[in-house]
Amino acid sequence: MITNKENVFQLDTAHTTYILRIDETNHVRTEYFGPRLTVPENYNFSKEKWSFAHGSSVIYDKSHPALCLDNLSLEYSTLGKGDFREPSVIIEDEMSLGNDFIFSNFDISEGAPKLSGLPSPHTGGKTLVIHLTDLLAKVDLDLVYAVFEEDDVIARTTRLTNDGDGVIAVKKLMSMQMDILDQGFSLVNLYGGWASEAHVIDKTMGPGIYVNDSKTGSSSNRHNPFFMLKAKHTDLNRGNAYGFNLIYSGNHYEMVEVNTYGKVRVQMGINPFCFEWKLSPSEKFEAPWAILSFSNKGTNGVSLQMHDFINKHIIRGPWALKDRPILLNNWEATYMDFTESKLHDLMKRASDLGIELFVLDDGWFGKRTDDTKGLGDWIVNFKKLPHGLSKLAEIANKNGMKFGLWFEPEMVNENSDLYRTHPEWAICVPKQIPSLGRNQMVLDLGLLEVQDYIISSVSAILDSAHIEYVKWDMNRHMSDFYSQRYNQGEFFHRYILGLYRVFEVLTKKYPAILWESCSSGGNRNDLGMLCYMQQNWASDDTDAFERIQIQSGTAMAYPLSSIGAHLSASPSHQVLRKTPIDTRFNVAAFGNLGFELDLKKLSFVDTAAIRRGIDFYKEHRHLLQYGHFYQMKTMQEDGYAVWMVLSDDRKEGMFGYFQGLGKSNPSIDILQGINLIDIAVYRVTARHQETNLKTFGGLINMVSPVKVNEDGRLVDFISKHKTLEGLLKKSYDETYDAFGDAFNNGAIKLEPQWAGTGFDEHVRVMADFGSRMYYFKVK
Ligand code: GLA
């Protein structure tokens, strides 16, 4: 709801209030952002009160001698009028670098406006636009606020219009700025690199400037655009937290400045790094949408609101809010070394296990036998696949599965027909030798002819076979940036605009396809991509233990239904860690489950474990993809992680309990949930898991009737065919009954862990990296 009383605007969502004021100098101030307020007669309560200016400050104008912009809470800021914090708008024209934007009028309308060439939230919202103008420079600045009431989200953007007669250069235009009072904030953001994306960092801020940004050309695995400000004493489920994200896939910039007056400035938008956009008379420039969300229910509170908003207003097309298929991807099973018969064999085994989608990854096109060649040539390699893609899709379909395909259309290898024909399409600085990444160069998507080539070559393949899923990859950062056609300061943004045009055309042309974006894993996981691609491959690291951190971080910002998570081989190809099969399943089950290993190499017991897992996932898929996700314990802080999902009606849910290292003399483990119905009785049942005989090493002789060599071939053979439970012919699945309040208050005590002194069927053998899933439902 948006209300306006004289010079104040109040934006209300279900649980939050945002108050803006046009002040006596005609600037727009942030007055309040926090829990929903009931407002009295007037807004005097929230107004900053000043009688005298601070010493050594610059007074904005003579008629308001107590006001200096440096100590006001502002919704935008410029250079040159006494605000010495980071400006949100920098424009250069013939006269100066400084501007003074003052209020001219406002309007309120239904819906959120669509930006041109940039993705926007779909459906819903109510919008306030505050129009500002710089009378001297003849430039207009609009501050746009779209209120998504039910989701507790406010989306913001800004636009500049050149009303003058000369060209101006936009050097910085933030999508949003707000200044709030300090609450002892810490900055929580996601950092990482290849195979280690989305690690959570939480740092307490003092006076100074904190920047979270990307300069790689995409939103990057270095610093995701999502971040939170967490007030002092806020934890996972309690206290004030503010969340921010950007609907943009290129270089981004988030800045938090704590100043000397205890004000915290937050900005978010396109990175001003190497950015300069020329604006001719009557042209306008729009910044990408930023989204803001506040909760007083801790960091989980913000994540839940963001997830809902993303599921409802970002992800679109027929796959939005739909259950996603379980897939097998052949990458870690074969890499590029596959033949038709190997693929047929994988398909048969996948289908037998109940897998629903087969994805053929890199290596099916051009002369692609390794990563030095072929990228750019989107033509089937008939040497490898003599019967082509249509036959493969047919076989997948005959096996009851959909067929999906990998592309990396933004790239080119020097050793490719595309490069030989169009070397000028690859990004490089004239006369310089370009630096390669993974032996490849990036095509300049700022060029219309490159966009058209990608659209037509990808379309030709999609038209040639029954392809129902596409994995769209992008495997390197940008270097040697240079635009042959446009101003250099426009290079990065034009790339992203070009990319969005390609997506716009392809996703409209093939609306039924399920799209998964990937950039060497999560190197371009952002809300811009999710506007076109419903899923994202979270990381090339499929090691379950590492994935706990990666998926915990990713799920702070993005819903489980957008996270691709696969069970792979042990030892893991990325870290060589050995992890139990059930843990590999349990981690991958919190998201869009997939498999990425050679099914032929699975032992009998591992095949049975996977079959059990798939049946279980199918039974609870909706909960695991769309349930409300809470992190109850984190590996970083607690040494073990507990995840919980809860259904909309709070009548059923799932816990994932993930151990880090095994403990000596372990104490009692508890299950603590949140938001379960206090007075309802729930039954909790552990998902059935079995224990690998080899877990016990030499101790196996304590239960075996005959002495065996634990490292010998006999134990090896038996362990592939029988689990401990199978051998003992005894198994027990933990079951607990309790009222919801017992869960909410951490009163559920689990069966004991293995403690080195004895074993019966009640002992939970977790060891290193062990885990359990607990399903609960009202009885
Ligand atoms: C990237 C992706 C992988 C795989 C390879 C293929 O690394 O993240 O999942 O598709 O490319 O080359």
Side-chain angles (χ1 to χ4, degrees):
M1 192 165 63
I2 301 174
T3 32
N4 162 238
K5 226 182 213 180
E6 293 169 2
N7 51 354
V8 177
F9 298 92
Q10 180 171 343
L11 317 181
D12 285 320
T13 66
H15 304 98
T16 70
T17 292
Y18 197 131
I19 300 177
L20 307 167
R21 177 187 298 271
I22 313 298
D23 74 3
E24 48 276 54
T25 62
N26 280 319
H27 288 84
V28 189
R29 288 199 208 163
T30 326
E31 205 117 288
Y32 172 83
F33 185 26
R36 186 155 179 168
L37 297 182
T38 319
V39 169
E41 274 290 275
N42 63 53
Y43 287 88
N44 186 40
F45 74 96
S46 60
K47 187 170 185 196
E48 287 192 32
K49 292 150 186 94
W50 297 111
S51 296
F52 301 96
H54 288 273
S56 95
S57 52
V58 171
I59 306 305
Y60 172 69
D61 69 6
K62 280 191 204 145
S63 31
H64 304 99
L67 297 183
C68 51
L69 297 183
D70 203 31
N71 184 20
L72 290 177
S73 300
L74 298 169
E75 288 286 290
Y76 63 95
S77 55
T78 55
L79 290 172
K81 296 306 286 178
D83 181 354
F84 300 108
R85 293 166 288 181
E86 283 292 302
S88 64
V89 190
I90 306 179
I91 300 169
E92 194 177 283
D93 62 19
E94 282 160 11
M95 287 162 63
S96 73
L97 266 173
N99 282 98
D100 188 18
F101 289 106
I102 53 165
F103 176 74
S104 76
N105 54 48
F106 74 92
D107 48 68
I108 295 174
S109 55
E110 285 303 323
K114 301 271 164 274
L115 305 184
S116 76
L118 288 167
S120 303
H122 66 90
T123 61
K126 193 161 191 178
T127 299
L128 163 71
V129 184
I130 299 181
H131 304 285
L132 308 163
T133 190
D134 182 328
L135 295 171
L136 202 64
K138 298 221 172 87
V139 183
D140 292 335
L141 173 67
D142 289 343
L143 308 180
V144 184
Y145 302 80
V147 180
F148 293 84
E149 198 166 337
E150 266 179 45
D151 312 284
D152 285 314
V153 161
I154 294 175
R156 290 186 54 182
T157 175
T158 51
R159 54 180 174 241
L160 275 175
T161 312
N162 181 359
D163 282 335
D165 309 323
V167 176
I168 59 171
V170 183
K171 292 176 159 279
K172 180 176 179 187
L173 177 67
M174 292 288 95
S175 300
M176 60 81 58
Q177 172 179 297
M178 67 177 196
D179 289 338
I180 50 177
L181 296 183
D182 196 5
Q183 299 172 33
F185 286 122
S186 49
L187 178 65
V188 180
N189 60 324
L190 308 176
Y191 78 101
W194 176 72
S196 59
E197 296 86 342
H199 283 234
V200 178
I201 178 121
D202 181 331
K203 44 182 178 278
T204 309
M205 297 188 304
I209 292 179
Y210 300 79
V211 172
N212 178 68
D213 80 342
S214 155
K215 303 185 187 78
T216 65
S218 71
S219 50
S220 95
N221 48 24
R222 303 299 199 256
H223 307 283
N224 194 273
F226 166 85
F227 71 100
M228 281 195 205
L229 287 182
K230 206 175 87 169
K232 203 170 181 173
H233 307 306
T234 292
D235 59 25
L236 292 166
N237 292 309
R238 283 166 309 189
N240 288 355
Y242 296 81
F244 305 86
N245 209 339
L246 197 63
I247 309 184
Y248 191 61
S249 310
N251 287 345
H252 58 91
Y253 172 88
E254 293 77 42
M255 192 280 317
V256 183
E257 180 173 3
V258 183
N259 82 347
T260 186
Y261 302 116
K263 298 255 167 71
V264 179
R265 169 159 294 180
V266 182
Q267 290 178 353
M268 171 161 231
I270 294 177
N271 201 332
F273 163 80
C274 291
F275 175 84
E276 185 181 86
W277 196 271
K278 291 275 171 34
L279 216 52
S280 298
S282 75
E283 275 184 355
K284 73 175 179 202
F285 182 83
E286 292 175 318
W289 285 103
I291 65 169
L292 288 64
S293 192
F294 166 83
S295 171
N296 57 6
K297 297 199 173 108
T299 52
N300 279 330
V302 169
S303 299
L304 286 165
Q305 290 166 189
M306 293 277 194
H307 293 175
D308 260 12
F309 175 77
I310 295 168
N311 275 327
K312 279 165 42 194
H313 300 287
I314 295 291
I315 294 172
R316 59 203 73 192
W319 282 100
L321 295 167
K322 285 266 155 53
D323 288 1
R324 308 294 165 77
I326 304 172
L327 65 81
L328 174 80
N329 179 305
N330 74 311
W331 182 240
E332 286 195 32
T334 64
Y335 295 101
M336 290 186 216
D337 183 19
F338 55 78
T339 58
E340 268 183 355
S341 69
K342 242 190 206 177
L343 297 177
H344 294 172
D345 179 65
L346 272 175
M347 283 183 188
K348 253 181 105 346
R349 289 171 192 272
S351 137
D352 178 55
L353 285 169
I355 290 171
E356 301 155 327
L357 161 66
F358 180 85
V359 180
L360 176 58
D361 211 279
D362 194 355
W364 57 267
F365 52 89
K367 299 207 172 65
R368 187 84 164 162
T369 43
D370 59 49
D371 64 20
T372 62
K373 45 181 156 324
L375 275 182
D377 301 340
W378 301 106
I379 293 165
V380 179
N381 180 334
F382 283 98
K383 260 197 187 154
K384 272 175 140 178
L385 301 173
H387 299 92
L389 292 173
S390 56
K391 189 73 192 168
L392 270 187
E394 208 180 294
I395 296 176
N397 295 165
K398 274 201 183 124
N399 277 296
M401 291 184 296
K402 296 181 192 301
F403 179 71
L405 196 62
W406 178 96
F407 288 91
E408 194 183 358
E410 297 160 66
M411 299 289 154
V412 65
N413 283 123
E414 282 171 306
N415 186 356
S416 67
D417 290 342
L418 180 67
Y419 189 75
R420 283 182 280 272
T421 323
H422 285 295
E424 76 285 3
W425 285 359
I427 296 167
C428 72
V429 180
K431 299 199 183 108
Q432 264 186 27
I433 298 174
S435 302
L436 302 185
R438 209 194 185 202
N439 302 305
Q440 63 201 49
M441 295 167 79
V442 188
L443 295 172
D444 187 352
L445 267 81
L447 304 177
L448 197 65
E449 56 273 34
V450 171
Q451 298 163 24
D452 288 343
Y453 169 75
I454 293 178
I455 293 169
S456 66
S457 54
V458 171
S459 298
I461 292 291
L462 295 181
D463 291 338
S464 74
H466 190 212
I467 296 166
E468 297 181 81
Y469 160 106
V470 167
K471 176 175 172 190
W472 186 288
D473 210 340
M474 194 277 196
N475 278 323
R476 65 157 294 186
H477 303 308
M478 284 183 207
S479 65
D480 303 274
F481 20 93
Y482 176 82
S483 173
Q484 322 161 11
R485 200 162 300 164
Y486 301 105
N487 299 311
Q488 297 313 317
E490 299 181 6
F491 169 81
F492 283 113
H493 187 53
R494 284 198 184 271
Y495 183 98
I496 296 299
L497 293 176
L499 180 71
Y500 288 152
R501 176 177 166 253
V502 168
F503 289 163
E504 196 72 42
V505 173
L506 287 175
T507 53
K508 285 230 167 76
K509 197 164 167 198
Y510 302 98
I513 286 183
L514 172 61
W515 301 83
E516 178 152 343
S517 78
C518 171
S519 180
S520 299
N523 182 41
R524 195 168 60 185
N525 187 8
D526 57 67
L527 297 179
M529 294 303 291
L530 287 178
C531 283
Y532 299 101
M533 315 219 151
Q534 299 88 357
Q535 306 184 178
N536 180 272
W537 176 227
S539 178
D540 274 358
D541 198 336
T542 51
D543 167 68
F545 180 65
E546 180 59 27
R547 272 284 182 145
I548 293 171
Q549 315 246 26
I550 293 172
Q551 290 175 214
S552 291
T554 305
M556 266 192 127
Y558 305 101
L560 297 186
S561 62
S562 74
I563 301 176
H566 299 176
L567 182 158
S568 65
S570 173
S572 127
H573 291 192
Q574 293 77 34
V575 296
L576 304 179
R577 184 182 284 117
K578 289 188 181 159
T579 316
I581 184 96
D582 283 315
T583 293
R584 282 178 276 149
F585 171 82
N586 294 344
V587 175
F590 281 84
N592 298 321
L593 174 67
F595 293 83
E596 191 158 334
L597 75 174
D598 191 349
L599 301 176
K600 201 173 170 180
K601 296 198 178 132
L602 284 175
S603 67
F604 182 81
V605 295
D606 282 358
T607 306
I610 287 184
R611 199 185 297 283
R612 259 198 316 273
I614 289 177
D615 291 347
F616 181 85
Y617 187 80
K618 284 184 177 168
E619 213 177 307
H620 303 293
R621 181 192 332 234
H622 195 71
L623 195 56
L624 290 163
Q625 295 180 352
Y626 290 98
H628 300 239
F629 178 71
Y630 296 84
Q631 322 223 17
M632 300 303 298
K633 295 282 172 195
T634 66
M635 198 58 85
Q636 268 166 321
E637 290 206 359
D638 307 290
Y640 67 107
V642 178
W643 294 340
M644 186 188 92
V645 287
L646 191 61
S647 64
D648 267 345
D649 63 7
R650 304 190 291 149
K651 288 190 175 157
E652 60 169 340
M654 188 83 70
F655 283 104
Y657 190 106
F658 303 101
Q659 175 140 298
L661 295 182
K663 303 163 199 157
S664 57
N665 277 329
S667 174
I668 288 289
D669 293 329
I670 61 162
L671 264 192
Q672 176 154 19
I674 185 166
N675 268 343
L676 280 81
I677 305 164
D678 278 333
I679 52 162
V681 177
Y682 291 82
R683 163 150 299 181
V684 187
T685 325
R687 183 177 85 77
H688 181 71
Q689 294 185 190
E690 299 198 353
T691 317
N692 191 302
L693 277 187
K694 290 195 143 191
T695 316
F696 289 91
L699 291 179
I700 191 71
N701 283 311
M702 310 269 276
V703 290
S704 171
V706 285
K707 282 265 171 284
V708 291
N709 171 5
E710 68 269 22
D711 295 322
R713 285 166 61 183
L714 180 63
V715 171
D716 199 47
F717 178 81
I718 300 176
S719 72
K720 287 184 177 138
H721 290 82
K722 285 260 178 243
T723 57
L724 182 70
E725 289 76 3
L727 261 194
L728 298 178
K729 297 206 171 60
K730 251 197 224 172
S731 77
Y732 164 74
D733 289 326
E734 301 160 69
T735 311
Y736 311 89
D737 285 344
F739 276 101
D741 59 4
F743 286 96
N744 293 336
N745 293 303
I748 312 289
K749 299 187 182 101
L750 299 177
E751 298 277 22
Q753 277 210 42
W754 166 263
T757 47
F759 177 76
D760 68 12
E761 68 274 21
H762 289 272
V763 169
R764 284 185 307 134
V765 180
M766 301 278 276
D768 288 352
F769 318 121
S771 66
R772 290 286 185 278
M773 278 174 97
Y774 295 97
Y775 172 67
F776 57 91
K777 191 175 175 143
V778 169
K779 274 178 81 179

mmCIF file of all heavy atoms in Angstrom, residues 91 101 104 131-134 138-142 159-163:
data_model
loop_
_atom_site.group_PDB
_atom_site.id
_atom_site.type_symbol
_atom_site.label_atom_id
_atom_site.label_comp_id
_atom_site.label_asym_id
_atom_site.label_seq_id
_atom_site.Cartn_x
_atom_site.Cartn_y
_atom_site.Cartn_z
ATOM 1 N N ILE A 91 27.120 12.618 -13.019
ATOM 2 C CA ILE A 91 26.912 12.925 -14.437
ATOM 3 C C ILE A 91 27.933 13.985 -14.822
ATOM 4 O O ILE A 91 28.161 14.934 -14.070
ATOM 5 C CB ILE A 91 25.504 13.504 -14.670
ATOM 6 C CG1 ILE A 91 24.449 12.505 -14.242
ATOM 7 C CG2 ILE A 91 25.305 13.873 -16.133
ATOM 8 C CD1 ILE A 91 23.060 13.102 -14.192
ATOM 9 N N PHE A 101 19.487 17.709 -7.669
ATOM 10 C CA PHE A 101 18.153 17.247 -8.056
ATOM 11 C C PHE A 101 17.152 17.605 -6.971
ATOM 12 O O PHE A 101 17.337 17.220 -5.810
ATOM 13 C CB PHE A 101 18.152 15.735 -8.254
ATOM 14 C CG PHE A 101 18.910 15.312 -9.480
ATOM 15 C CD1 PHE A 101 20.159 14.714 -9.356
ATOM 16 C CD2 PHE A 101 18.388 15.511 -10.746
ATOM 17 C CE1 PHE A 101 20.866 14.317 -10.478
ATOM 18 C CE2 PHE A 101 19.085 15.115 -11.875
ATOM 19 C CZ PHE A 101 20.326 14.520 -11.748
ATOM 20 N N SER A 104 10.087 17.493 -8.079
ATOM 21 C CA SER A 104 9.148 18.246 -8.923
ATOM 22 C C SER A 104 7.729 17.704 -8.756
ATOM 23 O O SER A 104 6.824 18.465 -8.460
ATOM 24 C CB SER A 104 9.599 18.285 -10.379
ATOM 25 O OG SER A 104 9.357 17.081 -11.021
ATOM 26 N N HIS A 131 9.499 12.244 -9.082
ATOM 27 C CA HIS A 131 10.240 12.910 -10.157
ATOM 28 C C HIS A 131 11.067 14.053 -9.574
ATOM 29 O O HIS A 131 10.544 14.916 -8.872
ATOM 30 C CB HIS A 131 9.281 13.492 -11.202
ATOM 31 C CG HIS A 131 8.355 12.468 -11.792
ATOM 32 N ND1 HIS A 131 8.762 11.538 -12.722
ATOM 33 C CD2 HIS A 131 7.042 12.211 -11.561
ATOM 34 C CE1 HIS A 131 7.739 10.771 -13.047
ATOM 35 N NE2 HIS A 131 6.680 11.153 -12.357
ATOM 36 N N LEU A 132 12.338 14.053 -9.916
ATOM 37 C CA LEU A 132 13.249 15.109 -9.460
ATOM 38 C C LEU A 132 13.847 15.759 -10.692
ATOM 39 O O LEU A 132 13.951 15.126 -11.747
ATOM 40 C CB LEU A 132 14.387 14.504 -8.640
ATOM 41 C CG LEU A 132 13.980 13.584 -7.496
ATOM 42 C CD1 LEU A 132 15.163 12.745 -7.060
ATOM 43 C CD2 LEU A 132 13.472 14.401 -6.319
ATOM 44 N N THR A 133 14.255 16.984 -10.527
ATOM 45 C CA THR A 133 14.868 17.600 -11.693
ATOM 46 C C THR A 133 16.023 18.501 -11.287
ATOM 47 O O THR A 133 16.015 19.091 -10.209
ATOM 48 C CB THR A 133 13.784 18.344 -12.511
ATOM 49 O OG1 THR A 133 14.338 18.725 -13.731
ATOM 50 C CG2 THR A 133 13.231 19.569 -11.812
ATOM 51 N N ASP A 134 17.028 18.548 -12.139
ATOM 52 C CA ASP A 134 18.112 19.507 -11.958
ATOM 53 C C ASP A 134 17.849 20.612 -12.976
ATOM 54 O O ASP A 134 18.038 20.420 -14.187
ATOM 55 C CB ASP A 134 19.460 18.815 -12.221
ATOM 56 C CG ASP A 134 20.629 19.763 -12.008
ATOM 57 O OD1 ASP A 134 20.453 20.976 -12.256
ATOM 58 O OD2 ASP A 134 21.697 19.295 -11.593
ATOM 59 N N LYS A 138 19.329 20.568 -16.703
ATOM 60 C CA LYS A 138 18.236 20.020 -17.514
ATOM 61 C C LYS A 138 18.308 18.492 -17.607
ATOM 62 O O LYS A 138 18.373 17.893 -18.686
ATOM 63 C CB LYS A 138 18.245 20.628 -18.909
ATOM 64 C CG LYS A 138 18.040 22.132 -18.944
ATOM 65 C CD LYS A 138 17.118 22.460 -20.104
ATOM 66 C CE LYS A 138 16.691 23.883 -20.125
ATOM 67 N NZ LYS A 138 17.587 24.791 -20.811
ATOM 68 N N VAL A 139 18.369 17.888 -16.455
ATOM 69 C CA VAL A 139 18.340 16.425 -16.374
ATOM 70 C C VAL A 139 17.282 16.049 -15.351
ATOM 71 O O VAL A 139 17.177 16.695 -14.309
ATOM 72 C CB VAL A 139 19.708 15.858 -15.912
ATOM 73 C CG1 VAL A 139 19.675 14.343 -15.909
ATOM 74 C CG2 VAL A 139 20.839 16.350 -16.794
ATOM 75 N N ASP A 140 16.498 15.013 -15.666
ATOM 76 C CA ASP A 140 15.499 14.522 -14.709
ATOM 77 C C ASP A 140 15.965 13.218 -14.111
ATOM 78 O O ASP A 140 16.524 12.362 -14.804
ATOM 79 C CB ASP A 140 14.161 14.271 -15.409
ATOM 80 C CG ASP A 140 13.534 15.569 -15.866
ATOM 81 O OD1 ASP A 140 13.846 16.604 -15.257
ATOM 82 O OD2 ASP A 140 12.773 15.528 -16.849
ATOM 83 N N LEU A 141 15.670 13.064 -12.847
ATOM 84 C CA LEU A 141 15.989 11.810 -12.155
ATOM 85 C C LEU A 141 14.703 11.293 -11.535
ATOM 86 O O LEU A 141 14.050 12.006 -10.774
ATOM 87 C CB LEU A 141 17.029 12.085 -11.052
ATOM 88 C CG LEU A 141 17.352 10.932 -10.110
ATOM 89 C CD1 LEU A 141 18.073 9.805 -10.843
ATOM 90 C CD2 LEU A 141 18.242 11.407 -8.946
ATOM 91 N N ASP A 142 14.306 10.076 -11.874
ATOM 92 C CA ASP A 142 13.121 9.472 -11.267
ATOM 93 C C ASP A 142 13.538 8.405 -10.275
ATOM 94 O O ASP A 142 14.358 7.533 -10.597
ATOM 95 C CB ASP A 142 12.251 8.803 -12.345
ATOM 96 C CG ASP A 142 11.572 9.815 -13.242
ATOM 97 O OD1 ASP A 142 11.506 10.996 -12.858
ATOM 98 O OD2 ASP A 142 11.119 9.413 -14.340
ATOM 99 N N ARG A 159 15.816 6.279 -13.025
ATOM 100 C CA ARG A 159 16.095 6.554 -14.446
ATOM 101 C C ARG A 159 16.458 8.022 -14.622
ATOM 102 O O ARG A 159 15.961 8.899 -13.917
ATOM 103 C CB ARG A 159 14.943 6.138 -15.336
ATOM 104 C CG ARG A 159 13.630 6.710 -14.977
ATOM 105 C CD ARG A 159 12.528 6.228 -15.931
ATOM 106 N NE ARG A 159 11.264 6.725 -15.437
ATOM 107 C CZ ARG A 159 10.246 5.984 -15.054
ATOM 108 N NH1 ARG A 159 10.311 4.678 -15.132
ATOM 109 N NH2 ARG A 159 9.135 6.537 -14.593
ATOM 110 N N LEU A 160 17.318 8.233 -15.578
ATOM 111 C CA LEU A 160 17.780 9.586 -15.890
ATOM 112 C C LEU A 160 17.304 9.950 -17.282
ATOM 113 O O LEU A 160 17.377 9.119 -18.191
ATOM 114 C CB LEU A 160 19.302 9.620 -15.917
ATOM 115 C CG LEU A 160 20.044 9.821 -14.611
ATOM 116 C CD1 LEU A 160 21.534 9.699 -14.855
ATOM 117 C CD2 LEU A 160 19.730 11.187 -13.998
ATOM 118 N N THR A 161 16.818 11.163 -17.451
ATOM 119 C CA THR A 161 16.437 11.616 -18.794
ATOM 120 C C THR A 161 17.189 12.908 -19.089
ATOM 121 O O THR A 161 17.225 13.812 -18.247
ATOM 122 C CB THR A 161 14.916 11.876 -18.858
ATOM 123 O OG1 THR A 161 14.253 10.740 -18.290
ATOM 124 C CG2 THR A 161 14.440 12.066 -20.296
ATOM 125 N N ASN A 162 17.779 12.936 -20.246
ATOM 126 C CA ASN A 162 18.514 14.136 -20.655
ATOM 127 C C ASN A 162 17.540 15.092 -21.339
ATOM 128 O O ASN A 162 17.104 14.853 -22.466
ATOM 129 C CB ASN A 162 19.639 13.718 -21.605
ATOM 130 C CG ASN A 162 20.456 14.913 -22.061
ATOM 131 O OD1 ASN A 162 20.166 16.056 -21.671
ATOM 132 N ND2 ASN A 162 21.476 14.660 -22.870
ATOM 133 N N ASP A 163 17.181 16.170 -20.658
ATOM 134 C CA ASP A 163 16.259 17.149 -21.228
ATOM 135 C C ASP A 163 16.979 18.340 -21.856
ATOM 136 O O ASP A 163 16.337 19.304 -22.291
ATOM 137 C CB ASP A 163 15.314 17.681 -20.121
ATOM 138 C CG ASP A 163 14.230 16.680 -19.819
ATOM 139 O OD1 ASP A 163 13.920 15.861 -20.711
ATOM 140 O OD2 ASP A 163 13.715 16.685 -18.682
#
